[in-house]
Amino acid sequence: MTATHLFQAEQLVAGYDHKTVIHGIDLVIPSNKISVIIGANGCGKSTLLKTLARLIKPISGQVTVDGKPISKIPPKKLARIIGMLPQSPIVPEGISVADLVGRGRFPHQSMFSGWSKKDYEAVAEAMEIMNITEFANHDIDELSGGQRQRVWIAMALAQQTDILFLDEPTTFLDITYQVEILDLLTDLNRKHGTTIMMVLHDINLSARYADHIFAMHEGKLVAEGTPSEVITSTMVKDIFGLNCTVIQDPLCGSPMVVPRGRHHAIR
Amino acid sequence: MRNDTIAFIMSGRRQRRRRWVLVTCSLALLAVLLCCAMLLLGNTIYPVKEIVRALFGEQVKGVSFAVNTIRLPRMLAGLFSGMAFGMAGIVFQTMLRNPLANPNIIGITSGSSAAAVFCITILHSTNAVVSVASVVAGLITVLIMYLLSRGRSFSIGRLILIGIGMQAMLDAVVSYLILISAQQDIPTALRWLTGSLNGSQMKELPPLLITVIVLAPILIALSKHLSLLELGEQSASSLGLNTDKTRIVLIVSAVAMVAIATATTGPIAFVSFLAGPIATRLVGAGHSNVVPAGLVGANLVLGADLIGQFLFEVRYPVGIITGLLGAPYLIFLLIQMNRKGEL
Amino acid sequence: MNNFSDISEQKLISSVPKNFKRVLFVCLALLVLCAIASLVLGSRVVRLQELLDGLFHPDAESYGANIVRKRVARTVFALCCGAALGVSGSLMQSVTRNPIADPSILGVNTGASVFVVSGIAFLNISAAHQYIWLALIGAAITAVFVFGIGSMGRGGATPIKLVLAGAATSAALSSVVSAILIPRSYVMDQFRFWQVGSVGSGSWSVVLTLAPFLVIGVVTAILTAPALNALALGDDVATGMGVRTGVLRLISALAGVILCGAVTALAGPIGFIGLLATHVMRLVLGPDLRVVIPMSALSGAIILTISDILGRLLGSPGELEVGVVTAFVGAPLLIFLAIRSKVRSL
């Protein structure tokens, strides 16, 4: 089981050059749970995630781990606590899958060291979890989009962090692969207790897989809680501007959004 | 199960490692052979024994002069400038994730070259001043390129276009300087327009040798960091890399290498562009390819110089041979990239 | 040819820009000023009397008058070269639908160089009218080659692909040029000054050699301008308007190559004039090629003449070849265009 951390943001204001995107957010990421940030395009979901993962420096406010601001923690040490999978990672040409996953071991290695036994174990474990061992010695170019995404997640797993951030890990994937990736992440959370925080586009998949949901609207946190607490027709109308009916997912009872267009009167 | 996986990963890595070691050693061996050839071949072919004696400081009539004043400096200039071009080239190519983004094409070489020509032909500066000026000019070129290409969002295409524009201007400066300087002789012109090892002198070499000996280990030590930068800004920093600091160290070291090499031998065409892709093709991607790229660079320069000196009736400077070899490869690469839709 | 001019009837772009007359007047005034300046200025500045003597009194014998007579031919040559390069640039930009096309950037100049050098070296050619044909062939082959590589793959010929293809081809060809030159110092001497680009060799016979090419090129350009306007909207739209895009491209590109090839043969590779001339006119007059093409002849002539004067003044007592000056003025424009353009259009 991974360690439990108190990860929180206080009065977080962040953005790019001259544009503030996040306007004062306070939150605590629930430990050992899967949390999902939802919201309309451009509401600052990605920016929030990047700021939490210290890829963007906040304009004001701070992000702390166990009470310590992340800007004060040495980058390598921090990289052993939090990992991040960016939205569109760059694929280097011709590199083998095992070597790529192995790059996730950087924060655990010194400058000249080769792979230690621990490194091999971490890489093997990550690849087993993501079910990609058979591709270990293939070139990354040979894999399909869904397989590549699993490789990227495996790289983040090899980093062996207690907290994992993922920025839309399912975009560009077919629905089958979306479900597969989310299942694998759930396995990871249930087996190892890894805290997962991700941005997802699909509100229904979010409702099904999340333990905890953060709803954002125009750079602010407008609601948080379990899916059934947060996802209501009023909330969906407020943050997405969409008229809908929320029903119970027939499979697992989580809330499910059924959009209502102008042409479909309520029966 | 876990142990099987580990064994599987290990065997793959070991195989790739073996290839790396094998190729790198062969490249090193080839470089040594080419160096020997550089010492051995010339207008007169002296017996090996006499060459060795001359190298160790004994005065051997005729041999000492030919070997110690002509062939040895030429060989050292080729070896070290080749390594410098090759290593710096792959650093830029990896960092910017594009084989086209090398000091040659984005204008750094032209900047250093213009500064060196200015110092030599107009100011008649000493070697030390020339070296410093060319490094400073190279860094300024990079800085200008960076400031200009930053814009709304970074794009490699924009960087390359700006580089080509800068190059056009700087090359115009070089042409002008050569034209107005008293040294309108053809060897000088060729050296600064295409790069040449002709007339390399022992006293010009120390800056190049020192730079390569000091900076090469830094680039090698940072190759793990470089391989993270290749994954992109976000992945690299979430793996705990201080990307800004790493990038500055890498850029300054690589620019210094290219600049000093350019100030010594002139901008030998395409070596910094060719070395990286050739090395990667030979040893495979995903390793630290800085060392193989340096060796490929050295072999290219030495090999091309030998070809230029001895294969034809006339002696061609090394830059023309590398240009004739490199340009078709560049065109080939462009066709390939266009087909794949990478540009 | 009539097929093309039909398009203008369809009023693709509304009538002549409002400021056209003003711009035309300013350009003509500038042209006259430049011409006079080109006669007067140089390593020796002539006096008014000498200028008048040189121009109007063929019998007047003074050193200054003789200089003026020499400068007349040079100035006319510079004006013609500038006009040809300006039109050539706007044609290439229209044909490739690409804002940074220019004979020098596309490597066409170097292509012409290779053929000229081979002519000097292997065929013992030394007369201008002989290597003009070689230059034309070289320019045409290179243009086809560069455009062929640049337009492969997705998105057709984007600026970045074309520029890189041009730069690579240029680099390859200049190595060939050097390889031919090095063993032949006599060719080198003849070639070295040609290579930087200069209108200093201008004489009446050179102007006469250039004239037919200039006329053919410019007339073709003006005739195809309305159809090129349609092409600017995309191949599909142009086809829909009844333009045979393939034929149009071929004819316009040929005209562009004739213009720049002839200039390159006679004056050496002079870069960036086409880029500068066309963009200045586009900026002032808008995108209508029926106006931009003839006007870029004027602006090209002005820019080249100014560059030539600058080169004479800066390089005094010798002179700085005009090719060096234009690279200095033109490259910043290329950089500016690269900065301004959106990433996607690269």
Side-chain angles (χ1 to χ4, degrees), chain B residues 48-318:
Chain B
V48 179
K49 216 195 257 169
E50 288 187 16
I51 293 177
V52 174
R53 273 170 54 207
L55 281 178
F56 280 96
E58 269 181 64
Q59 280 302 319
V60 190
K61 199 171 163 237
V63 184
S64 280
F65 177 78
V67 171
N68 288 343
T69 4
I70 298 177
R71 294 184 195 173
L72 183 65
R74 188 185 188 107
M75 180 270 267
L76 289 174
L79 178 68
F80 281 84
S81 65
M83 289 211 289
F85 283 128
M87 287 182 164
I90 200 169
V91 166
F92 274 96
Q93 286 166 330
T94 317
M95 202 159 48
L96 295 168
R97 291 178 292 276
N98 191 319
L100 296 171
N102 68 84
N104 230 169
I105 292 181
I106 61 179
I108 301 169
T109 343
S110 299
S112 301
S113 191
V117 176
F118 180 75
C119 288
I120 292 170
T121 60
I122 307 291
L123 303 179
H124 306 287
S125 315
T126 58
N127 286 325
V129 176
V130 173
S131 306
V132 173
S134 58
V135 172
V136 171
L139 287 174
I140 292 176
T141 316
V142 174
L143 191 69
I144 295 175
M145 295 281 301
Y146 169 74
L147 292 176
L148 290 178
S149 65
R150 208 168 38 156
R152 273 167 286 189
S153 61
F154 178 80
S155 121
I156 195 79
R158 184 177 290 146
L159 183 81
I160 291 170
L161 279 185
I162 295 172
I164 287 176
M166 298 266 287
Q167 218 177 344
M169 274 201 305
L170 292 165
D171 287 350
V173 175
V174 174
S175 305
Y176 173 57
L177 289 172
I178 290 175
L179 205 73
I180 61 163
S181 67
Q183 310 180 15
Q184 286 196 19
D185 54 320
I186 290 163
T188 321
L190 281 176
R191 178 158 175 192
W192 293 112
L193 291 173
T194 63
S196 161
L197 301 179
N198 287 338
S200 299
Q201 292 168 18
M202 218 52 177
K203 65 176 201 294
E204 297 172 342
L205 293 179
L208 175 64
L209 268 53
I210 294 168
T211 314
V212 172
I213 291 168
V214 172
L215 293 181
I218 295 184
L219 292 184
I220 295 168
L222 286 178
S223 38
K224 204 183 258 177
H225 301 60
L226 184 63
S227 68
L228 289 192
L229 281 180
E230 196 185 2
L231 301 178
E233 181 75 29
Q234 296 189 356
S235 300
S237 46
S238 56
L239 285 167
L241 185 72
N242 186 335
T243 49
D244 290 338
K245 210 166 78 185
T246 313
R247 202 170 280 144
I248 287 175
V249 175
L250 283 171
I251 289 178
V252 170
S253 317
V255 168
M257 278 183 139
V258 170
I260 303 267
T262 308
T264 316
T265 62
I268 301 181
F270 289 111
V271 175
S272 67
F273 159 68
L274 284 171
I278 293 179
T280 308
R281 194 149 286 189
L282 289 176
V283 294
H287 311 269
S288 123
N289 285 349
V290 174
V291 177
L295 289 170
V296 171
N299 284 324
L300 276 175
V301 172
L302 293 172
D305 190 48
L306 285 169
I307 293 176
Q309 281 192 78
F310 302 114
L311 209 62
F312 306 101
E313 281 173 34
V314 215
R315 294 197 163 191
Y316 287 107
V318 60

Side-chain angles (χ1 to χ4, degrees), chain A residues 57-90:
Chain A
K57 270 200 188 114
I59 297 168
S60 69
Q62 60 176 1
V63 180
T64 60
V65 180
D66 302 325
K68 209 173 171 194
I70 53 169
S71 54
K72 298 264 163 58
I73 305 174
K76 260 193 169 179
K77 191 175 169 200
L78 189 64
R80 294 195 287 264
I81 303 172
I82 55 176
M84 161 92 184
L85 179 70
Q87 189 170 7
S88 38
I90 291 155

